Amino acid sequence: MNKFEILKTYFGYDSFREGQELLIDAILNGQDVLGIMPTGAGKSICYQVPALLLPGVTLVISPLISLMKDQVQALNQAGIHAAYINSSLSETQISKALQLAAEGRYKIIYVAPERLETYEFLQFAKAVELSMLTVDEAHCISQWGQDFRPSYLKIVQFIRQLSKRPIISAFTATATEAVKDDIACVLGLSYPRITVTGFDRKNLYFSVETPKKKDTYVLHYISEHSGDSGIVYCATRKNVEAVYEMLLEAGVPVTKYHAGLGNGERKQNQEDFIYDRKPVMVATNAFGMGIDKSNVRYVIHYNMPQSLENYYQEAGRAGRDGEPSECILLYSPQDLMINRFLLESKEQNSEFGEDELKTIRERDEERLRTMSYYCMTRNCLREYILHYFGEAGSSHCGNCSNCQKEFEEIDVTEEAKKIAACVRELRQRYGINVIVGTLLGENKAKLREYHVSDYQSYGSLREQTEAGIKEIIRQMMMEDILTQTKDKYSLLKLTAKAKELIEGLITIQIKKPKEDPQAKDALRNISVKQRKSDILNTRGLELFDTLRELRTEIAREESIPPYLIFSDKTLTDMCVKIPFTREEMLGVSGIGENKYKKYGERFISRILDFTGKRKEKLYFGELEEAVSGTEMKTTRKAAKAVKSEFYITPQQAQEFPYKERYLLPELAAALSESRNPDTMKKITGAEIFRYLESRDYVTEKRVDGRWKKIISEKGAEAGLFLAPRISKTGTEYEDVYYDEKAQRMIVELYVK
Ligand code: ADP
Ligand code: ZN
């Protein structure tokens, strides 16, 4: 097989993405490589494809246990033999894995860096043919990086001890020059092929909002995106608890994560999220390291984070599958205060001296300021981010909230000159509030104390508002005409560039949004890149939901996260292409031979059932358009909005086909049967289950790596019982059945 055949057969993709082919070719030529690519760009393929083509074994060094497990599961899903070795395994398991590896059973082995030191592992590495050593998250080797891991330095010693030096490939998402040089140097890469692919994540929509009530905004947004998976980040545990309670109350399938929860609860909640049992996560920034969930459709920041680095990393957890996703930051001026407080109360490492602490504090303050400018800028948000990370973006991306708002430019050069004059006249000894008060000609006790009314500037911008002047000052800071000192008092100072303003060499403009909400909506509808499933019509969306349910069903049977079976993108492509045969199914993006063998027929049979074996067109527009998924005519929102919540009439309840026993999905399907699908949403087994769970009839726990349903006493009384069931893949497991009494109770719930 060649690299293209491997990509198609194992991963189900037709072409390589930017940068991938180049790195793969270099590796296959025996060259070391360093790939710098943002999250979601597809780093794994860059070493997994050559690993299959090289004669021996590829070792992948990875710092996070959870990530290793995920990657290995994904590879095994694709029919590639892989294993991991880390401290989550027992000694016996490790020996067993090494023995199988020595027999050549695995092409790819993931290990934690600590493992490289052990005698047993080194013996193994010397004995097998090591074709390549891959260093994932390679920035961990750099002391300049945000998360330096001393254990990464062991990689270098390890390589030295090998009898033959393998090809070395390193990958990271961190782009700064210092880190890049460090990686190449410390790892001793020899004439490496280095590629840096752009940091722009085109599928992410960025927006900053300043809603009056954040809670209302969040609740509204989440209910409009029900069924989607998303993360809400809050600055404090207290906020997490409050937002979580609010959403729970409103019936959202939500879970939470912060450092104040016990280990067990954190683990359980994280799994609930990953397995889509509870697709909405409310968390502090403690959540997310090593989370590889590909179908996160939105990341909302309830509070402004402390730095743009943090923001881009957290927001970047949206849309790893490349599907359009949204990153929304809810800003209020209070956020700045919360963050200052958090920074001040941050535990400082006692190894630092007074001077170092001061530098750290200043740097933190600087980062915070950059972040708050992001919230206030009227220019393209994407360009702001890319510029910060040292990349030139276009000044208009068309896919952020600022690019979609209409602004008018207002010249404020004269006002800016008066502000600069005031700062100068007051000898740069005051903070922003005194300056603004002086310009406004205010008569406050504090201002009287400073005798500001003696100055010429006093009242020189009397006709302006406080907010108006502050906005101009902000603009002057962004344009580097004014700066604030980094100490506690934040005095306003002029920079060298201020001279140019005073001499009339430059002009200053600010942008004000045009208040025309209709224009904004219209604009949004045409220019926002819609997610792939948005191209589906009402029936298409229904097929999508049906396939999504099947995916969940299989995920439960096999105890793997749903996104490891098929991504949302693959399901959408199925709804567009409606495959009936093996050939047609293999033409769907993300379906390779192995995935077809495992799941193809089940999905085909579900599609045949749904369509009644007739090919239908389930998307808007032309196929070309549907497949490339660009501009759209109607949004998913619009299609969904017209449907009512599910209910049945008393008459329908009486005629319901009660049976001796039902499984929940069957019962939900029988219930949904009676509605008009064009006007009413259907009810799913998962929804009913969640309701019963919230009322303590039944619950679900992971036991020995499998989901197990547990019926409470109350549930047993109501008519729930366990009985064996055989999955389509042949494994036997227990599932919950509902007797007639329980069926009646459930049906009652939906009578209106
Ligand atoms: P990274 O490690 O860079 O964050 P991943 O390797 O996890 O990114 O890949 C992100 C997603 O992109 C995965 O779902 C992967 O299957 C998908 N992907 C990678 N390469 C391609 C490709 N050539 N075509 C389509 N999808 C791809
Ligand atoms: Zn933009």
Side-chain angles (χ1 to χ4, degrees):
M1 273 205 255
N2 63 30
K3 63 187 178 202
F4 294 108
E5 287 161 349
I6 295 221
L7 185 71
K8 181 73 190 156
T9 314
Y10 289 103
F11 301 96
Y13 299 130
D14 291 323
S15 56
F16 287 103
R17 286 194 188 150
E18 186 194 345
Q20 288 179 331
E21 200 173 354
L22 217 131
L23 291 171
I24 291 171
D25 287 345
I27 293 173
L28 293 175
N29 278 328
Q31 203 180 349
D32 286 355
V33 304
L34 171 55
I36 299 176
M37 301 161 116
T39 308
K43 288 185 277 295
S44 329
I45 296 253
C46 299
Y47 58 84
Q48 288 166 351
V49 168
L52 295 178
L53 288 164
L54 293 168
V57 172
T58 290
L59 268 192
V60 183
I61 321 282
S62 168
L64 293 165
I65 290 180
S66 57
L67 241 136
M68 277 185 216
K69 194 173 147 201
D70 222 44
Q71 293 265 13
V72 167
Q73 266 187 341
L75 286 170
N76 288 330
Q77 279 294 308
I80 297 165
H81 298 284
Y84 60 87
I85 295 175
N86 61 36
S87 57
S88 75
L89 303 179
S90 68
E91 285 304 315
T92 338
Q93 285 172 318
I94 291 176
S95 301
K96 180 82 191 157
L98 284 178
Q99 186 197 331
L100 289 173
E103 288 166 13
R105 284 280 279 279
Y106 307 121
K107 284 302 279 182
I108 305 179
I109 298 169
Y110 285 76
V111 290
E114 294 79 10
R115 187 64 41 194
L116 303 176
E117 281 194 308
T118 62
Y119 176 78
E120 195 186 13
F121 191 79
L122 194 62
Q123 287 315 103
F124 156 77
K126 281 182 178 168
V128 295
E129 178 178 5
L130 262 194
S131 291
M132 175 161 67
L133 186 126
T134 295
V135 185
D136 202 6
E137 312 287 348
H139 58 276
C140 292
I141 206 166
S142 167
Q143 321 221 12
W144 298 105
Q146 276 185 331
D147 24 42
F148 170 57
R149 284 169 195 248
S151 60
Y152 257 57
L153 296 172
K154 293 181 179 138
I155 299 171
V156 188
Q157 297 157 23
F158 173 76
I159 296 170
R160 281 202 208 109
Q161 293 178 65
L162 296 171
S163 30
K164 187 170 160 247
R165 185 182 182 278
I167 301 166
I168 297 171
S169 56
F171 298 89
T172 176
T174 305
T176 63
E177 280 301 310
V179 173
K180 189 168 94 180
D181 293 346
D182 244 18
I183 295 172
C185 190
V186 180
L187 272 181
L189 299 183
S190 97
Y191 304 103
R193 173 94 218 201
I194 302 179
T195 357
V196 185
T197 49
F199 265 64
D200 190 8
R201 299 273 311 275
K202 293 204 170 52
N203 61 318
L204 299 185
Y205 166 81
F206 289 96
S207 128
V208 174
E209 304 287 338
T210 46
K212 285 212 181 64
K213 289 208 169 111
K214 290 183 177 184
D215 281 357
T216 317
Y217 183 97
V218 170
L219 187 58
H220 184 75
Y221 184 94
I222 292 180
S223 26
E224 275 205 336
H225 294 78
S226 70
D228 284 349
S229 182
I231 306 175
V232 182
Y233 277 112
C234 302
T236 61
R237 294 177 197 180
K238 211 173 111 205
N239 278 353
V240 168
E241 290 292 345
V243 173
Y244 167 79
E245 286 298 330
M246 187 259 306
L247 293 174
L248 194 67
E249 201 108 300
V252 174
V254 60
T255 182
K256 61 181 172 179
Y257 193 104
H258 58 69
L261 302 175
N263 262 341
E265 190 174 359
R266 280 210 305 261
K267 191 161 171 241
Q268 171 78 36
N269 294 357
Q270 176 169 326
E271 290 202 337
D272 282 345
F273 175 68
I274 289 178
Y275 285 77
D276 274 338
R277 294 188 67 234
K278 298 192 177 148
V280 179
M281 169 61 91
V282 184
T284 60
N285 60 7
F287 178 74
M289 254 300 236
I291 300 293
D292 218 355
K293 192 171 196 285
S294 75
N295 65 338
V296 176
R297 292 276 71 89
Y298 56 85
V299 172
I300 298 177
H301 277 77
Y302 191 85
N303 301 108
M304 176 182 83
Q306 289 183 353
S307 71
L308 206 55
E309 284 95 335
N310 286 358
Y311 182 62
Y312 203 49
Q313 188 172 46
E314 286 159 17
R317 301 203 166 108
R320 291 184 64 125
D321 53 10
E323 287 284 270
S325 308
E326 304 196 339
C327 308
I328 298 165
L329 197 163
L330 305 183
Y331 174 74
S332 72
Q334 233 188 348
D335 290 338
L336 206 57
M337 270 140 52
I338 298 177
N339 278 307
R340 287 240 161 80
F341 173 77
L342 289 174
L343 283 179
E344 269 159 32
S345 52
K346 190 165 96 176
E347 255 179 64
Q348 293 295 3
N349 194 328
S350 52
E351 287 164 33
F352 293 125
E354 214 19 70
D355 281 356
E356 281 161 317
L357 280 179
K358 188 161 165 269
T359 321
I360 291 173
R361 253 182 249 124
E362 283 177 7
R363 219 169 42 198
D364 283 347
E365 181 65 29
E366 182 71 41
R367 288 207 178 108
L368 187 57
R369 198 165 303 155
T370 312
M371 186 69 239
S372 66
Y373 288 166
Y374 173 84
C375 299
M376 294 184 273
T377 181
R378 296 280 161 79
N379 296 325
C380 175
L381 294 173
R382 186 181 312 273
E383 127 78 25
Y384 186 94
I385 296 172
L386 293 178
H387 180 79
Y388 181 73
F389 289 113
E391 233 180 76
S394 87
S395 59
H396 184 97
C397 75
N399 193 23
C400 76
S401 55
N402 282 351
C403 283
Q404 283 175 12
K405 269 181 209 140
E406 276 204 75
F407 292 102
E408 40 195 352
E409 291 223 323
I410 300 172
D411 188 284
V412 291
T413 311
E414 285 314 307
E415 288 83 352
K417 279 185 182 167
K418 286 183 181 162
I419 293 168
C422 180
V423 173
R424 189 158 66 172
E425 201 181 8
L426 272 67
R427 304 219 194 94
Q428 314 192 55
R429 282 192 319 216
Y430 298 98
I432 189 164
N433 288 324
V434 172
I435 298 292
V436 173
T438 305
L439 287 161
L440 282 171
E442 280 179 345
N443 185 20
K444 288 185 184 155
K446 195 166 176 191
L447 294 174
R448 280 201 302 274
E449 194 184 309
Y450 299 143
H451 301 291
V452 296
S453 58
D454 297 347
Y455 294 104
Q456 269 187 0
S457 298
Y458 186 72
S460 66
L461 286 178
R462 199 178 300 259
E463 71 286 1
Q464 292 274 342
T465 61
E466 180 182 333
I469 298 178
K470 282 192 170 164
E471 181 164 9
I472 301 171
I473 291 180
R474 220 153 46 218
Q475 185 66 30
M476 292 168 76
M477 290 201 266
M478 286 198 248
E479 295 194 23
D480 201 22
I481 291 167
L482 289 176
T483 85
Q484 270 176 309
T485 56
K486 293 182 181 112
D487 53 28
K488 213 158 76 199
Y489 304 104
S490 290
L491 306 180
L492 216 48
K493 302 258 181 196
L494 297 169
T495 66
K497 206 177 158 195
K499 206 164 148 239
E500 295 173 32
L501 173 72
I502 294 167
E503 288 174 359
L505 299 174
I506 49 175
T507 61
I508 309 277
Q509 273 82 30
I510 54 169
K511 287 180 174 177
K512 283 229 186 288
K514 276 191 193 164
E515 286 312 327
D516 185 0
Q518 258 178 351
K520 185 179 140 196
D521 270 0
L523 209 82
R524 194 182 153 98
N525 274 345
I526 44 168
S527 62
V528 179
K529 253 199 195 167
Q530 298 297 332
R531 106 180 42 144
K532 290 266 167 59
S533 55
D534 283 342
I535 61 179
L536 301 176
N537 61 24
T538 314
R539 245 180 89 68
L541 287 174
E542 240 173 63
L543 176 59
F544 181 84
D545 284 340
T546 307
L547 298 181
R548 186 149 74 172
E549 260 170 49
L550 175 59
R551 180 177 69 177
T552 311
E553 211 176 296
I554 299 175
R556 288 301 164 75
E557 288 169 20
E558 303 194 355
S559 272
I560 53 173
Y563 62 86
L564 283 185
I565 296 173
F566 288 133
S567 69
D568 285 3
K569 193 167 165 174
T570 299
L571 293 189
T572 308
D573 207 28
M574 267 186 225
C575 297
V576 168
K577 294 184 178 147
I578 6 178
F580 289 168
T581 64
R582 176 175 176 278
E583 276 63 42
E584 288 173 346
M585 198 56 145
L586 285 172
V588 171
S589 168
I591 300 190
E593 281 292 344
N594 201 65
K595 288 270 175 93
Y596 176 78
K597 250 187 257 154
K598 278 198 174 142
Y599 312 117
E601 280 174 13
R602 271 177 93 174
F603 277 83
I604 288 178
S605 109
R606 201 52 76 93
I607 293 170
L608 286 172
D609 279 354
F610 182 89
T611 56
K613 304 189 181 161
R614 269 184 309 119
K615 289 267 178 187
E616 302 174 59
K617 177 164 173 276
L618 302 181
Y619 51 89
F620 297 109
E622 301 298 318
L623 182 63
E624 278 298 295
E625 204 177 309
V627 172
S628 64
T630 46
E631 316 282 274
M632 276 310 321
K633 295 189 183 66
T634 311
T635 66
R636 182 183 177 93
K637 249 181 238 162
K640 266 199 164 167
V642 292
K643 292 200 189 182
S644 73
E645 291 299 324
F646 176 81
Y647 68 87
I648 57 173
T649 62
Q651 173 78 18
Q652 287 167 332
Q654 272 192 359
E655 290 161 7
F656 186 80
Y658 292 104
K659 289 203 301 203
E660 192 189 315
R661 55 159 72 177
Y662 265 113
L663 284 163
L664 216 42
E666 297 167 356
L667 182 69
L671 270 169
S672 298
E673 196 58 20
S674 62
R675 85 204 196 284
N676 174 351
D678 292 331
T679 57
M680 195 187 288
K681 292 185 198 168
K682 67 174 173 179
I683 186 82
T684 66
E687 277 169 82
I688 304 177
F689 188 85
R690 271 187 215 118
Y691 174 83
L692 296 175
E693 188 176 40
S694 74
R695 295 291 181 278
D696 289 327
Y697 286 96
V698 61
T699 185
E700 211 174 10
K701 285 234 152 49
R702 291 258 291 171
V703 181
D704 300 330
R706 299 202 148 263
W707 289 106
K708 239 188 138 109
K709 297 194 178 104
I710 296 155
I711 298 173
S712 71
E713 221 168 280
K714 183 175 165 190
E717 243 164 64
L720 281 61
F721 61 97
L722 284 173
R725 208 188 142 189
I726 302 206
S727 84
K728 298 216 169 99
T729 45
T731 35
E732 190 183 297
Y733 67 108
E734 286 199 316
D735 209 343
V736 180
Y737 287 84
Y738 296 76
D739 76 6
E740 193 174 327
K741 186 162 129 221
Q743 293 161 28
R744 287 189 185 274
M745 171 184 84
I746 292 168
V747 169
E748 266 316 297
L749 293 172
Y750 296 97
V751 176
K752 192 162 117 182

